Amino acid sequence: MIGYAIRRIAGAVPLLLVISFVSYALMGLAPGGPSAILSEQSRALTPAARAAFVASLGLDKPWYVQYFYWLKELVFHGSLGRSFVGHRPVIALIGEKMPVTMELLGLAIVVTVLIAIPLGVAAATRRNSAFDVAATAVAFIAYGIPVFWLGIVLIDVFAVGLRWFPSGGIASIGRENDPLDRLWHLVLPVATLVVVGFAPWMRYQRAKMIDVLGQPFIRTARSKGLSERAVIYRHALRNALIPIVTLLGLSLPTLVGGAYFIEYVFSVPGMGYLALNAVFQRDYPTVMGITIISAVFVIAGNLLADIGYALVDPRVRYE
Amino acid sequence: MSRFLARFGHERPALGGAIVLAIIVAAALLGPLLWHVSPITVQHAVMGHPLPPSAAHPLGTDLLGRDQLARALQGARVSLTVGVTAMLVAIGLGSLYGAIAGLAGGKVDAMMMRFVDAMLSFPTFFLIITVEALTNQFSLVVIVLVIGLLSWMVVARLVRGEVLTLRERDFVEAARALGAGPVRLITRHLLPNALAPIVVAATLAIGDNILIEAGLSYLGLGVQVPTASWGNMLQDALGTTALVAPWMVIVPGTLIVVTLLAFNLVGEGLRVAFDRSIDQ
């Protein structure tokens, strides 16, 4: 297992090289680079000073040369460079925003799982009942709701209309360390994410649970005279958790990559917000930093999902 | 095929989805011909005061005083066009790529699938936003290409998996013995037999693409005003509040939700129908 994990991690290195190269190429080849915006900001500069400024950012070189410098910095100094906007190290920017996103998305995933698993189990054990049909219908409708639309509706109704919750941000000014205040700010964005996101979790849980309940060992458990509760929760559920483990692994990247729309709509200063601003300002180093960190988490998420299989299902072995 | 259609007919929700889709497509095609109000003309003098639904404007007007029914109809055309054409790009590229990898097998297959892994590790939506923002080109062609070129990987995996099992089957062996080259094998034998999962993926992809387009337009990176799309109608609605002009939020949002629901129901129904007609 450890050997397998090490080999997977080693295999991730060329993967990350390809990803960073393709990202850089896309940005380099896309018309309308950052120099146009930078020179607009520095209109007062003489042409010579402007050229020196552009050169100081390395933007006078072709994109593949820039990529090479970027890679050299990363490999030899572990640095993701400095933001074009404000010139702070990219790693510091990401370090500042990531906890905010983790707080929001982490809470959303926990609530989603806590709601989706019992719903999925209940739907599976009462297959084709009115409850099952209703839960499936709600899941199908919820799956098609755009995050930003539901976010706006919830803000309009609960923040602007009823004034129960704040319309955005992560904490009230001056109360940044008050957990209750933070939680109060998180209610609407978390509710939005749960409604929009619970459908796949519930559907997978339901499908897998139906599959497991049809297997012989469940009949054995029942014929042993175990209570239905024990059969479902102790025997069936443990075996039916595999898709949830996969989904947990696959949702790891969103923990850091951020949910762009939710942070945009609710003005949450997290990774998604940082990412969108970086894109709009053509802040190449920040865009690259976010891409690479996100890719690392995608790969890590896949690996953790595979290791998670082995933990919940002893039959799965990796050599 | 007839057995499959009969199966699909048994899937009530999917049939309902298909009917809703037919209505939406008909509205997109015929609507602008029947409803003669222009989607870009300002309808009343006082801007910033959207009118509620009335006989003259059944879905109300927006902040600039444009007729929302006309915009919704134009938006339907735009959203469906983007959804379908981006799907065609992704399905075409993905099927071909997956079929070639599956047929080639061995080292070539391993290399090709490593590239798919790499592409799948991209934060895809972020990449779509980045490319859109950097190119600053918001023509439909660019939007379609960007979405299509960044969403073919799942199809490639799916088709490769199908081809891997198909290529060992007798009829493929027979075709090969009759001298069929790789091009003929892929286009005549492998892809037609992998059609079922491709069709399911295609149906679901249209819905996903519509959602992506709405998201891009909402961020101002998609279809540009004055051309209407459901996404940029929502972007306009953010400027006001649901309390002042709820119809501005409700109209485009409901259209997106209903359309996605319909595509997902049809996709799910197709999947079930295909599975069952194979079982029989």
Side-chain angles (χ1 to χ4, degrees), chain A:
Chain A
M1 175 77 109
I2 293 170
Y4 169 79
I6 290 173
R7 246 178 302 122
R8 279 281 295 266
I9 293 168
V13 173
L15 211 58
L16 287 172
L17 273 177
V18 172
I19 289 168
S20 62
F21 182 78
V22 172
S23 303
Y24 225 105
L26 274 174
M27 287 199 302
L29 294 172
S35 46
I37 289 202
L38 287 170
S39 50
E40 208 170 292
Q41 284 175 347
S42 52
R43 201 168 293 154
L45 296 180
T46 62
R50 186 177 303 160
F53 181 53
V54 168
S56 76
L57 296 174
L59 289 170
D60 54 336
K61 309 267 192 326
W63 65 267
Y64 43 88
V65 178
Q66 293 178 38
Y67 173 70
F68 182 72
Y69 284 138
W70 179 85
L71 193 64
K72 211 173 83 181
E73 274 295 297
L74 180 61
V75 174
F76 291 107
H77 302 110
S79 160
L80 286 169
R82 281 169 183 274
S83 161
F84 284 169
V85 185
H87 300 277
R88 295 186 51 208
V90 169
I91 201 81
L93 285 174
I94 292 177
E96 198 174 282
K97 307 293 184 195
M98 210 191 290
V100 176
T101 298
M102 285 189 158
E103 187 180 340
L104 169 61
L105 275 287
L107 191 64
I109 290 176
V110 169
V111 176
T112 304
V113 171
L114 288 181
I115 290 174
I117 290 188
L119 272 182
V121 170
T125 50
R126 296 182 193 83
R127 217 175 148 188
N128 295 330
S129 68
F131 172 80
D132 182 23
V133 172
T136 303
V138 171
F140 262 97
I141 294 170
Y143 186 69
I145 300 178
V147 178
F148 43 92
W149 182 68
L150 186 61
I152 297 168
V153 171
L154 291 187
I155 288 176
D156 282 331
V157 175
F158 293 103
V160 181
L162 297 169
R163 296 179 177 274
W164 288 356
F165 300 104
S167 65
I170 190 80
S172 308
I173 295 166
R175 294 178 64 188
E176 283 80 5
N177 293 321
D178 179 354
L180 275 179
D181 183 66
R182 290 182 86 91
L183 206 58
W184 186 53
H185 279 79
L186 286 176
V187 171
L188 288 186
V190 166
T192 308
L193 287 173
V194 170
V195 170
V196 171
F198 86 98
W201 300 78
M202 193 209 112
R203 298 283 296 159
Y204 281 120
Q205 185 62 55
R206 177 184 175 274
K208 186 71 193 173
M209 195 72 188
I210 288 173
D211 177 43
V212 170
L213 284 174
Q215 286 177 16
F217 76 92
I218 293 296
R219 205 177 317 136
T220 312
R222 284 210 175 104
S223 59
K224 277 200 303 192
L226 289 180
S227 71
E228 192 59 22
R229 246 188 115 75
V231 170
I232 287 169
Y233 286 98
R234 213 166 308 145
H235 292 252
L237 186 57
R238 187 172 175 213
N239 285 282
L241 279 180
I242 290 185
I244 296 295
V245 170
T246 317
L247 282 180
L248 273 177
L250 295 181
S251 60
L252 188 67
T254 62
L255 270 180
V256 284
Y260 309 102
F261 291 116
I262 202 79
E263 295 189 357
Y264 185 76
V265 169
F266 285 95
S267 321
V268 174
M271 288 286 284
Y273 203 77
L274 178 70
L276 285 179
N277 273 328
V279 166
F280 286 132
Q281 295 172 325
R282 290 167 176 62
D283 186 355
Y284 284 9
T286 309
V287 170
M288 279 307 288
I290 292 169
T291 306
I292 281 300
I293 299 271
S294 305
V296 167
F297 274 84
V298 172
I299 295 169
N302 288 338
L303 178 60
L304 285 180
D306 286 345
I307 291 175
Y309 284 148
L311 292 182
V312 293
D313 186 348
R315 286 170 303 183
V316 177
R317 293 219 183 284
Y318 300 113
E319 295 306 322

